[in-house]
PDB file of all heavy atoms in Angstrom:
ATOM      1  N   MET A   9     -12.364 104.043  29.000  1.00 76.00           N
ATOM      2  CA  MET A   9     -12.139 104.235  27.593  1.00 76.00           C
ATOM      3  C   MET A   9     -12.909 105.216  27.014  1.00 76.00           C
ATOM      4  O   MET A   9     -14.071 105.562  27.314  1.00 76.00           O
ATOM      5  CB  MET A   9     -12.383 102.824  26.827  1.00 76.00           C
ATOM      6  CG  MET A   9     -12.175 102.929  25.316  1.00 76.00           C
ATOM      7  SD  MET A   9     -12.572 101.358  24.541  1.00 76.00           S
ATOM      8  CE  MET A   9     -10.969 100.583  24.691  1.00 76.00           C
ATOM      9  N   PRO A  20       1.653 111.187   8.998  1.00 91.00           N
ATOM     10  CA  PRO A  20       2.443 111.461   7.737  1.00 91.00           C
ATOM     11  C   PRO A  20       3.491 110.258   7.500  1.00 91.00           C
ATOM     12  O   PRO A  20       3.731 110.035   6.343  1.00 91.00           O
ATOM     13  CB  PRO A  20       3.135 112.699   7.982  1.00 91.00           C
ATOM     14  CG  PRO A  20       2.317 113.450   8.902  1.00 91.00           C
ATOM     15  CD  PRO A  20       1.615 112.302   9.835  1.00 91.00           C
ATOM     16  N   GLY A  29      -2.750 105.507  24.193  1.00 77.00           N
ATOM     17  CA  GLY A  29      -2.670 105.556  25.621  1.00 77.00           C
ATOM     18  C   GLY A  29      -1.865 104.489  26.217  1.00 77.00           C
ATOM     19  O   GLY A  29      -1.195 103.597  25.524  1.00 77.00           O
ATOM     20  N   VAL A  50      -9.762 105.311  21.784  1.00 89.00           N
ATOM     21  CA  VAL A  50     -10.078 104.353  20.690  1.00 89.00           C
ATOM     22  C   VAL A  50     -10.730 104.983  19.498  1.00 89.00           C
ATOM     23  O   VAL A  50     -11.515 105.804  19.639  1.00 89.00           O
ATOM     24  CB  VAL A  50     -10.970 103.143  21.196  1.00 89.00           C
ATOM     25  CG1 VAL A  50     -12.227 103.645  21.830  1.00 89.00           C
ATOM     26  CG2 VAL A  50     -11.174 102.089  20.045  1.00 89.00           C
ATOM     27  N   GLY A 103       1.483  96.435   3.011  1.00 98.00           N
ATOM     28  CA  GLY A 103       2.259  95.708   4.101  1.00 98.00           C
ATOM     29  C   GLY A 103       1.893  96.293   5.407  1.00 98.00           C
ATOM     30  O   GLY A 103       1.428  97.305   5.622  1.00 98.00           O
ATOM     31  N   ALA A 210      16.715 107.882  25.641  1.00 94.00           N
ATOM     32  CA  ALA A 210      16.288 109.219  25.575  1.00 94.00           C
ATOM     33  C   ALA A 210      14.990 109.390  26.397  1.00 94.00           C
ATOM     34  O   ALA A 210      13.998 108.763  26.153  1.00 94.00           O
ATOM     35  CB  ALA A 210      16.046 109.775  24.152  1.00 94.00           C
ATOM     36  N   ARG A 226      10.520 101.362  41.706  1.00 98.00           N
ATOM     37  CA  ARG A 226      10.676  99.966  41.339  1.00 98.00           C
ATOM     38  C   ARG A 226      11.894  99.297  41.524  1.00 98.00           C
ATOM     39  O   ARG A 226      12.032  98.097  41.668  1.00 98.00           O
ATOM     40  CB  ARG A 226      10.235  99.871  39.736  1.00 98.00           C
ATOM     41  CG  ARG A 226       8.938 100.599  39.517  1.00 98.00           C
ATOM     42  CD  ARG A 226       8.518 100.386  38.085  1.00 98.00           C
ATOM     43  NE  ARG A 226       7.330 101.178  37.831  1.00 98.00           N
ATOM     44  CZ  ARG A 226       6.546 100.945  36.588  1.00 98.00           C
ATOM     45  NH1 ARG A 226       6.809 100.001  35.888  1.00 98.00           N
ATOM     46  NH2 ARG A 226       5.530 101.717  36.392  1.00 98.00           N
ATOM     47  N   SER A 270      19.321 101.576  13.983  1.00 96.00           N
ATOM     48  CA  SER A 270      17.893 102.086  14.012  1.00 96.00           C
ATOM     49  C   SER A 270      17.578 102.671  12.640  1.00 96.00           C
ATOM     50  O   SER A 270      16.379 102.537  12.192  1.00 96.00           O
ATOM     51  CB  SER A 270      17.893 103.114  15.038  1.00 96.00           C
ATOM     52  OG  SER A 270      18.032 102.650  16.325  1.00 96.00           O
ATOM     53  N   ASN A 282       6.854  93.903  -3.251  1.00 93.00           N
ATOM     54  CA  ASN A 282       5.970  93.046  -3.952  1.00 93.00           C
ATOM     55  C   ASN A 282       6.429  91.723  -4.264  1.00 93.00           C
ATOM     56  O   ASN A 282       7.176  91.537  -5.093  1.00 93.00           O
ATOM     57  CB  ASN A 282       5.411  93.743  -5.300  1.00 93.00           C
ATOM     58  CG  ASN A 282       4.261  93.035  -5.837  1.00 93.00           C
ATOM     59  OD1 ASN A 282       3.872  91.978  -5.539  1.00 93.00           O
ATOM     60  ND2 ASN A 282       3.572  93.799  -6.872  1.00 93.00           N
TER      61      ASN A 282
END
Side-chain angles (χ1 to χ4, degrees):
M9 176 174 278
V50 58
R226 301 183 194 203
S270 295
N282 187 345

